[in-house]
Amino acid sequence: MTEDLDECYDVIVKLSKKGGQLIHERIWSQKSVQFKSCEVDLVTETDQEVEKLLISSLKSKFPGHKFIGEESTAAGIKCELTDYPTWIIDPVDGTMNFVHGYPNVCVSVALWVDKVAEIGIIYNPVLELFFSARRGQGAFLNGKPIHVSQENDLSKSLIGYEFGTSRDPEKMKVVMENMNILTPLVHGVRSTGSCAQNMAMVALGGTDANFEYGIHAWDIAAGYLIVTEAGGVVIDPAGGPFDVLSRRYLCACSQDLADQLVTIIKQHYPERD
Amino acid sequence: MKHDVDQYFETVLGITRDAGKIIKEGIARTKNVDTKLGSWDLVTQYDRRVENVLMKEISKKFPSHKFIAEETNAEQKATPELTNAPTWIIDPIDGTTNFVHGFHLTCISIALSIEKEVVIGIIYNPILDQLFTAIKGQGAHLNNQRINASQVEELCKSMVCLESSFACIPSLKDSIMKRTEACVKVAHGIRVLGSAALALCYVAMGVAEAYHIDGLQCWDVAAGALIVREAGGIVLDSTGGTFDMMSHRILACGTKKLAEELVILFKKADASIIKININNG
């Protein structure tokens, strides 16, 4: 099927900015917070509203399109990515940050067609960082082209790393083990609290690599395109090809740096999306 | 001697803003990097440039004032000594690792101490255009808007900023990893910024509830500690005692109760290291 991707892109840019505006208006006011899978996995009414805004507007514009959205994906139901044009949406990536007023909060939206990423948007409305990419057209921050760093020396690399929003003891053990392994070997480790922002930082060249387990398709679908269009690589953390439903990813400025990380990090395999 | 602290503040604010342009200019460019004290602690030509500009311009306006500044101190291989004289305590680029990588959390941190008490704190991130300021007794501000520390009292509801990647320093590794792990198990979230000054500002803003690091210098924390206190937060030694900016230890929190909980948590974490060493030893 042929999609008017230019139209899709124009529409989603406007909608992402609208969603971002809601986030910016509310980040420093009272919120009602609910727990999802555990006491550090949160959702607010803003998450739900931004997702509704995006999905309802996209549905009315593009009636044949499918959706994989964080808040509308019922717990326990498996996600399915078909060849249909599919919007993969995290309305508020970094909900813990949003709850605290901490500025690393992003709208993350991607359009995949025939299981290929065509459009990726990561928008942090608090810091006014609008990352975007179209397949084959490069990656941009606020309209200016961006490129990953050139750092292939692990000892000089800055790594994006998260402690996560899971209290699963097995996962936490791997998280601390990897921290122990990495810290003596790299230049530094940075935790922003937003997976999408972590990937965008690699695309920008502000960090050199980033990996995480346990995140979801909606956290990484846009970052995948933005990093690759910025000249970087996105793979499975064990070295194989990236799988957007696997809940695992490793992105880096180069295959060389990615391979160095693959040989040293411990693995964790969450249940697939 | 009578001091016009407001005048000192206004003058140095302007000088700091101007010096921030050097950081903005440098962040995306290739820089020469020398190593100092190991690969985790870098000096760049921009560090020196910013510091020289600050010291030169402040000396022109206030010739009797003294300085404790990071790069000058490193070159002279001196241990900083704080006297009663008005002394500007300067970190020209806090978050140098971030700076050399083009990561946006980097800032100038500058404090004024008079009779060994910090009375002015200025922290300026020119990349995000965030100016954090405090004058003793006049509250804390971000871009001229008043800011207040968080009132959260429990660690289980708190966001904690740590410098976990300092664990690359062998003498600090065990302590940092154990304290990090202890926090990870309880806190809402852990954030690692790579800039002590900006992490202190986040506590002052109330977007994080706590910041802790052992192993830094007075110029990293002097301004931020005042900004946290003026925002209503509390700053202690990480052992629970009185904060001394020359001591290399800091724990900054929105509330006293949270600080007390963290002090106990750190003591337990450290004790578990001793236990392991005894068992292995």
Side-chain angles (χ1 to χ4, degrees):
Chain A
M1 61 201 83
T2 348
E3 288 305 310
D4 185 345
L5 293 173
D6 289 339
E7 200 199 348
C8 294
Y9 181 73
D10 288 339
V11 167
I12 195 57
V13 166
K14 291 196 178 86
L15 284 174
S16 305
K17 289 190 174 161
K18 259 183 129 174
Q21 198 179 349
L22 265 178
I23 291 172
H24 199 187
E25 279 162 15
R26 295 184 188 177
I27 187 167
W28 291 308
S29 52
Q30 269 294 85
K31 303 157 191 96
S32 80
V33 182
Q34 291 170 301
F35 303 120
K36 294 202 289 190
S37 63
C38 67
E39 69 269 22
V40 288
D41 185 12
L42 309 181
V43 62
T44 69
E45 74 270 86
T46 303
D47 292 70
Q48 288 153 345
E49 257 189 74
V50 172
E51 183 157 314
K52 244 201 213 137
L53 161 76
L54 292 170
I55 291 183
S56 64
S57 308
L58 289 167
K59 257 186 187 158
S60 73
K61 264 276 177 185
F62 310 111
H65 288 193
K66 304 281 178 220
F67 297 88
I68 296 176
E70 175 168 21
E71 306 317 327
S72 39
T73 299
I77 307 290
K78 288 288 170 214
C79 292
E80 208 200 335
L81 181 65
T82 64
D83 288 344
Y84 280 98
T86 306
W87 296 95
I88 307 178
I89 298 171
D90 189 345
V92 179
D93 185 56
T95 300
M96 180 63 79
N97 288 341
F98 179 70
V99 166
H100 283 268
Y102 194 88
N104 297 340
V105 183
C106 302
V107 181
S108 177
V109 187
L111 177 66
W112 287 50
V113 182
D114 296 327
K115 299 198 184 90
V116 170
E118 290 291 348
I119 292 172
I121 306 254
I122 293 172
Y123 176 40
N124 180 332
V126 185
L127 300 180
E128 270 308 325
L129 302 173
F130 192 95
F131 294 91
S132 57
R134 300 269 313 264
R135 186 167 64 91
Q137 299 183 31
F140 297 84
L141 168 57
N142 295 341
K144 295 202 170 102
I146 56 174
H147 200 273
V148 292
S149 73
Q150 308 291 311
E151 193 52 76
N152 283 331
D153 183 343
L154 191 63
S155 70
K156 297 196 175 111
S157 66
L158 194 60
I159 309 291
Y161 192 79
E162 292 298 326
F163 295 93
T165 55
S166 159
R167 287 272 147 89
D168 169 43
E170 199 207 300
K171 195 212 165 188
M172 289 179 75
K173 186 161 170 267
V174 171
V175 165
M176 291 312 302
E177 269 186 273
N178 281 331
M179 192 64 189
N180 256 297
I181 289 167
L182 287 172
T183 44
L185 297 179
V186 303
H187 210 191
V189 160
R190 298 291 177 262
S191 304
T192 70
S194 159
C195 173
Q197 184 155 324
N198 283 337
M199 294 185 90
M201 283 295 118
V202 173
L204 178 60
T207 55
D208 306 298
N210 158 237
F211 68 98
E212 198 172 349
Y213 310 118
I215 35 53
H216 294 275
W218 42 80
D219 297 311
I220 57 182
Y224 165 76
L225 186 64
I226 294 171
V227 169
T228 49
E229 284 296 322
V233 302
V234 185
I235 61 172
D236 180 272
F242 172 67
D243 173 355
V244 74
L245 296 178
S246 67
R247 298 185 63 200
R248 294 158 47 84
Y249 77 97
L250 187 152
C251 63
C253 60
S254 67
Q255 188 66 49
D256 187 346
L257 191 67
D259 289 342
Q260 291 178 62
L261 283 166
V262 164
T263 54
I264 58 173
I265 58 178
K266 298 279 184 227
Q267 301 292 328
H268 174 72
Y269 292 88
E271 209 182 314
R272 291 175 61 81
D273 267 333
Chain B
M1 181 193 162
K2 218 161 175 254
H3 294 284
D4 187 346
V5 173
D6 287 338
Q7 193 220 355
Y8 297 159
F9 176 78
E10 288 304 328
T11 306
V12 176
L13 197 62
I15 294 171
T16 305
R17 270 203 177 277
D18 278 340
K21 293 176 192 156
I22 302 172
I23 292 182
K24 252 187 136 168
E25 170 207 302
I27 198 164
R29 293 161 67 176
T30 315
K31 296 158 272 289
N32 296 321
V33 173
D34 309 316
T35 53
K36 168 184 77 175
L37 295 177
S39 66
W40 50 269
D41 197 349
L42 303 175
V43 60
T44 67
Q45 59 189 350
Y46 286 91
D47 244 325
R48 293 190 186 112
R49 249 174 90 186
V50 172
E51 184 166 305
N52 288 344
V53 160
L54 290 169
M55 287 174 68
K56 185 170 149 218
E57 296 303 314
I58 294 174
S59 295
K60 271 190 207 163
K61 296 283 185 184
F62 310 117
S64 65
H65 288 193
K66 307 261 177 266
F67 296 94
I68 293 175
E70 180 172 23
E71 299 316 313
T72 309
N73 192 72
E75 278 158 25
Q76 293 169 356
K77 294 187 175 40
T79 309
E81 205 201 318
L82 187 64
T83 66
N84 285 332
T87 307
W88 294 94
I89 303 171
I90 298 173
D91 190 345
I93 302 183
D94 186 60
T96 317
T97 303
N98 291 345
F99 175 72
V100 302
H101 283 270
F103 190 80
H104 55 275
L105 294 175
T106 186
C107 61
I108 297 172
S109 177
I110 179 163
L112 175 66
S113 162
I114 299 177
E115 288 170 22
K116 296 196 182 127
E117 192 187 18
V118 174
V119 295
I120 289 174
I122 298 173
I123 291 171
Y124 178 44
N125 178 344
I127 313 304
L128 298 179
D129 200 26
Q130 288 179 322
L131 181 66
F132 295 90
T133 55
I135 300 174
K136 191 159 191 321
Q138 299 186 33
H141 297 82
L142 164 57
N143 294 346
N144 297 315
Q145 303 281 330
R146 191 84 186 232
I147 53 176
N148 298 292
S150 163
Q151 295 301 298
V152 168
E153 294 185 324
E154 298 145 278
L155 184 59
C156 64
K157 294 186 180 136
S158 296
M159 196 95 92
V160 179
C161 297
L162 298 171
E163 293 301 345
S164 305
S165 65
F166 257 41
C168 60
I169 304 168
S171 59
L172 298 178
K173 183 179 194 217
D174 285 344
S175 168
I176 289 178
M177 293 310 305
K178 280 291 172 194
R179 291 180 183 190
T180 300
E181 192 173 0
C183 286
V184 167
K185 287 179 173 161
V186 182
H188 248 183
I190 306 298
R191 300 291 176 261
V192 179
L193 278 72
S195 162
L198 289 174
L200 287 166
C201 290
Y202 277 20
V203 174
M205 267 175 90
V207 304
E209 276 69 33
Y211 175 61
H212 156 61
I213 177 71
D214 285 352
L216 292 186
Q217 303 294 334
C218 57
W219 44 74
D220 295 309
V221 300
L226 179 69
I227 293 171
V228 168
R229 283 176 165 155
E230 285 296 319
I234 180 169
V235 182
L236 298 175
D237 186 291
S238 54
T239 58
T242 310
F243 172 63
D244 169 9
M245 69 174 165
M246 312 306 281
S247 74
H248 315 298
R249 291 185 301 273
I250 188 167
L251 170 62
C253 295
T255 60
K256 188 158 181 275
K257 266 196 122 187
L258 179 63
E260 286 164 352
E261 188 178 348
L262 279 167
V263 166
I264 294 171
L265 194 81
F266 293 158
K267 286 191 166 133
K268 282 192 178 140
D270 291 350
S272 73
I273 303 168
I274 297 169
K275 221 173 161 189
I276 292 167
N277 288 341
I278 288 172
N279 289 341
N280 290 345

